[in-house]
Amino acid sequence: MSTPMPIASSHGAAPAGPTGWRGLVADWSSDREAFAVSWGKAMMWIFLLSDTFIFSCFLTGYMTVRISSTVPWPNPSQVFALHIGGADIPLILIAIMTFVLISSSGTMAMAVNFAYRRARMPAAVLMLATAALGATFVGMQAFEWTKLINEGVRPWGNPMGAAQFGSSFFMITGFHGLHVSAGVIYLIVVAARVLRGRYERAGNYQIVEIAGLYWHFVDLVWVFIFALFYLW
Amino acid sequence: MAQQHPIGLYLKIWALLFVLSTLSYLVDYFHLQGYLRWGLIVSFMLMKAGLIVAVFMHMAWERLALICAILLPPGCLLVLVGLMALEADHTFITRLLFFR
């Protein structure tokens, strides 16, 4: 108390440089990079992290209504069975959708590989193949929705059991389907730019890897939906 | 940092994902029940998720700073899941007591 501390001497020199808002920005960024990747890739990862939380909230909500329901939950194995060749095959459409999406992830990974080798044609073709598989997935999902709606499944109720089944199903698969649809458009846009040689001039094909990150994430979310919603 | 890896690696992971998906489908097909079912489903799910994130999304070759920034925060979700499971059990018991 009696000996006031000399200002800005014992704790190092006062930072020189901009003050005010510019100073705030300079202090927070400090011209340092936390992540040794391009900003586009870092931002895509952070976006995917936030998306992880959104999907997790949906799946947690689904878990909550399923545990707390006193009415039996409809058996997904039977609800999603298809009548093929005189027999009901359980979950067959969902299994095919899973294989289609995994295959699209495979073609996407190879597209990234070719893009970094500057092989424009194979990269673009593989990206368009990925988009086609994604569109196939959305098409099968539309078929599945139509089938369930015809069977009387609504967000507020269904003839098979717990009313919450419909709202969980439409919300979770709908939001995922929206992500796949957006991904198909994203891939087509990037593939068209690859074909036109836009990244050849800049010499930087990382956008293909960034688009790939988004696509693999969509596949990743489906892994969790497949296990927790359809198989549980 | 360009992520350049042999195509063969991607094909192997692709095949592995197919096998794991088939196995998890077979869990349902053969009507396994109880802890065996949940254990297998969750194991296959986590293995597939791990392969996709590590190899397809190249997380295995990124620096630890990025890995921690992206993979640690979802751990909070386990707390949410735990709390909501407790809450849902409580709601279930309350409904059995008062609404039947």
Side-chain angles (χ1 to χ4, degrees):
Chain A
M1 278 294 186
S2 58
T3 53
M5 292 281 279
I7 295 162
S9 66
S10 61
H11 298 288
T19 53
W21 285 108
R22 284 180 162 277
L24 183 138
V25 172
D27 287 351
W28 277 87
S29 59
S30 297
D31 279 343
R32 283 192 303 256
E33 287 182 4
F35 307 118
V37 294
S38 72
W39 64 267
K41 191 163 157 184
M43 284 296 115
M44 178 52 87
W45 268 114
I46 288 166
F47 165 71
L48 295 182
L49 178 61
S50 67
D51 231 14
T52 305
F53 276 76
I54 292 177
F55 275 109
S56 300
C57 287
F58 286 163
L59 285 170
T60 311
Y62 148 72
M63 175 196 77
T64 307
V65 296
R66 183 163 174 172
I67 293 177
S68 62
S69 169
T70 51
V71 183
W73 196 260
N75 183 356
S77 187
Q78 289 162 8
V79 174
F80 300 105
L82 279 192
H83 199 74
I84 301 172
D88 275 334
I89 305 175
L91 272 184
I92 187 67
L93 182 66
I94 311 303
I96 296 170
M97 285 165 76
T98 304
F99 287 125
V100 167
L101 210 55
I102 287 174
S103 299
S104 77
S105 252
T107 52
M108 187 68 230
M110 286 158 68
V112 174
N113 195 291
F114 279 111
Y116 276 135
R117 292 191 210 166
R118 296 199 168 199
R120 268 159 61 188
M121 206 42 160
V125 167
L126 280 165
M127 286 182 85
L128 291 175
T130 308
L133 286 167
T136 311
F137 177 90
V138 176
M140 288 194 283
Q141 196 165 48
F143 173 80
E144 189 197 7
W145 274 46
T146 313
K147 181 172 169 285
L148 257 69
I149 290 170
N150 283 335
E151 287 169 2
V153 178
R154 298 287 183 274
W156 52 87
N158 64 77
M160 299 107 165
Q164 294 91 333
F165 174 81
S167 50
S168 308
F169 170 76
F170 289 121
M171 191 71 198
I172 293 172
T173 62
F175 207 69
H176 179 262
L178 204 65
H179 274 74
V180 179
S181 308
V184 168
I185 296 168
Y186 185 25
L187 286 179
I188 291 173
V189 169
V190 176
R193 289 178 173 179
V194 168
L195 273 183
R196 283 206 306 268
R198 175 175 174 141
Y199 306 114
E200 194 62 41
R201 288 190 288 277
N204 185 358
Y205 275 97
Q206 200 178 37
I207 185 71
V208 180
E209 191 194 347
I210 293 172
L213 282 180
Y214 177 83
W215 191 261
H216 294 311
F217 176 78
V218 167
D219 186 24
L220 182 67
V221 170
W222 183 254
V223 167
F224 285 86
I225 295 175
F226 179 58
L228 300 176
F229 192 88
Y230 291 99
L231 291 179
W232 201 263
Chain B
M1 202 196 312
Q3 295 282 358
Q4 186 67 278
H5 310 288
I7 291 265
L9 175 67
Y10 294 128
L11 291 176
K12 276 179 204 135
I13 299 301
W14 192 351
L16 212 49
L17 287 172
F18 256 77
V19 171
L20 287 172
S21 296
T22 310
L23 287 176
S24 47
Y25 176 67
L26 289 179
V27 168
D28 185 72
Y29 193 82
F30 289 118
H31 303 293
L32 301 180
Q33 295 302 336
Y35 285 115
L36 180 64
R37 182 188 183 91
W38 317 142
L40 286 175
I41 288 176
V42 171
S43 314
F44 293 143
M45 175 184 85
L46 292 177
M47 284 194 245
K48 281 165 72 181
L51 287 174
I52 292 172
V53 173
V55 181
F56 280 178
M57 300 174 90
H58 302 137
M59 209 39 141
W61 298 279
E62 298 291 358
R63 288 180 63 79
L64 195 58
L66 185 68
I67 296 175
C68 288
I70 301 302
L71 295 188
L72 289 186
C76 305
L77 293 165
L78 294 177
V79 179
L80 176 70
V81 168
L83 289 175
M84 292 313 289
L86 281 175
E87 163 76 15
D89 276 332
H90 177 77
T91 311
F92 178 67
I93 292 165
T94 320
R95 282 176 176 170
L96 283 186
L97 282 176
F98 294 105
F99 295 103
R100 279 221 164 172

